[in-house]
Amino acid sequence: MERSPAPAPAANVEIKVHPRRGDNVGRSVGPPPPRPSEAPFRPTAPSGGYMPFKRWGPWLVPSFVLANIALFVVTMFVNDCPKNSGSCLARFLGRFSFQPIKENPLLGPSSSALEKMGALEVNKVVHKHQAWRLLSCIWLHAGVFHVLANMLSLLFIGIRLEQDFGFVKIGLLYVISGFGGSLLSALFIQNGISVGASGALFGLLGGMLSELITNWTLYANKVAALLTLVFIILVNLAVGILPHVDNFAHIGGFISGFLLGFIFLVRPQFRWISQRFTSQGRMATPISKHKTYQYALWIISLILLTVGFILGVIVLLQGVNLNDRCSWCHHLSCVPIAHWSCKSQREYCEMTQSGNQMNMTCESNGRSNIFQLPDSNPSQVQVQELCRKLCS
């Protein structure tokens, strides 16, 4: 799974599946898992197979999918590769053509275009008070492959959840989980930019797990349902140890969604349903609608989520990099082995600027070029992108 996949080195954006420190990041998601309530893991019905829960018509999740696709199209329009880059892929698409494969292998825009559209850039969140980027980045994607993978996963996971719990709860679960993924990602990734919906998608997975736990009495084949869902979650989290995948966004979104599931997705206990919807049950002694552990999990989750978000935002706005406080945490995002390296492959350039012209020299290959800037005050991401183009 992926809060999004990342473009190539030149684009300085990674798939959120997880970014590395010093890299740009995107977020992505793998194959969608089945809902625990799907056969053969259907909640047990109290009378003749009838379940007394409202079935909602899904419209919000499809709307989210259309919004993400529309924003990707707008991003490509803003990118305008023929005007802003020397070479483009699929030039017959005009200003909707893609950046070169070496710059963005996901078939998408440049990192500067994503930055303009609201990508997560910690420097701007901390020093320019643009905290809104923690939310805007979950609606942006780094390329065609990225947006397709995430939106297909959203359809398969989100529609079932919206049918079961309604658009309000699932909408809040999606957006708040996306924020949680962005927050944890920003606390560990201080350089580059990040985009993608994978944090929100992992939040839906986390909500599915907590919903199964808190509504345990309603499920048949409980253990099988639990083991299946846990296996799917672990497989998707394991993808995050690959290079250029933002596993911090995945983990942050999953934890947020897991806690939110205990708050938003609580069902009445089985005995209460049986009592209310059977003739014999109506004559019995009334029992509590929810079990004690459901109330306890609701309170604990609300406290943990509130405190975690408040502390996370405070630490982020103070400019703290949690990698400096946790020497091993970077392994949650990438585990180095013989076949790949987790080190950030960053290029370094010397530059001088005169007005709208920047003279830049790449230290690794000695190449020099003079770039015409759109304005005299380029952003850090724009400068990094020019340096990567020169060094690639």
Side-chain angles (χ1 to χ4, degrees), residues 134-349:
L134 293 167
L135 282 175
S136 63
C137 66
I138 71 176
W139 304 97
L140 302 174
H141 288 84
V144 173
F145 297 141
H146 187 199
V147 70
L148 285 178
N150 278 355
M151 292 307 99
L152 287 174
S153 297
L154 177 57
L155 284 173
F156 280 102
I157 301 172
I159 285 183
R160 174 70 68 173
L161 283 171
E162 187 178 353
Q163 288 175 331
D164 288 346
F165 295 98
F167 68 93
V168 174
K169 292 180 179 179
I170 300 308
L172 289 173
L173 177 62
Y174 181 87
V175 173
I176 298 174
S177 297
F179 173 82
S182 294
L183 182 59
L184 190 64
S185 177
L187 288 169
F188 283 94
I189 300 166
Q190 301 292 304
N191 297 303
I193 64 174
S194 177
V195 294
S198 65
L201 289 167
F202 266 88
L204 296 182
L205 281 180
M208 289 168 61
L209 179 59
S210 55
E211 186 267 330
L212 173 60
I213 294 172
T214 195
N215 300 326
W216 189 254
T217 61
L218 298 180
Y219 280 87
N221 302 317
K222 300 174 175 60
V223 176
L226 179 62
L227 292 177
T228 300
L229 185 55
V230 169
F231 174 77
I232 292 168
I233 292 169
L234 290 177
V235 168
N236 281 283
L237 285 174
V239 174
I241 68 173
L242 297 173
H244 310 298
V245 175
D246 186 358
N247 218 25
F248 286 119
H250 294 176
I251 295 170
F254 176 79
I255 294 174
S256 301
F258 182 71
L259 296 175
L260 287 166
F262 290 122
I263 299 171
F264 290 148
L265 309 183
V266 183
R267 298 280 204 193
Q269 63 164 308
F270 178 81
R271 290 178 59 200
W272 182 88
I273 297 173
S274 299
Q275 184 182 76
R276 183 172 181 181
F277 290 93
T278 62
S279 57
Q280 292 180 345
R282 295 190 188 97
M283 301 170 61
T285 303
I287 61 175
S288 173
K289 186 175 182 180
H290 297 95
K291 285 186 169 290
T292 302
Y293 78 85
Q294 290 179 305
Y295 291 114
L297 288 172
W298 191 94
I299 294 172
I300 293 171
S301 297
L302 182 62
I303 293 174
L304 289 176
L305 192 68
T306 303
V307 172
F309 277 178
I310 292 175
L311 291 179
V313 170
I314 291 174
V315 171
L316 174 62
L317 295 181
Q318 289 177 344
V320 175
N321 186 340
L322 291 188
N323 286 297
D324 299 331
R325 311 294 176 88
C326 179
S327 60
W328 57 269
C329 286
H330 62 280
H331 290 305
L332 294 174
S333 174
C334 183
V335 177
I337 64 174
H339 300 288
W340 67 66
S341 172
C342 295
K343 293 182 179 180
S344 173
Q345 298 178 349
R346 299 189 64 190
E347 292 82 13
Y348 296 92
C349 299

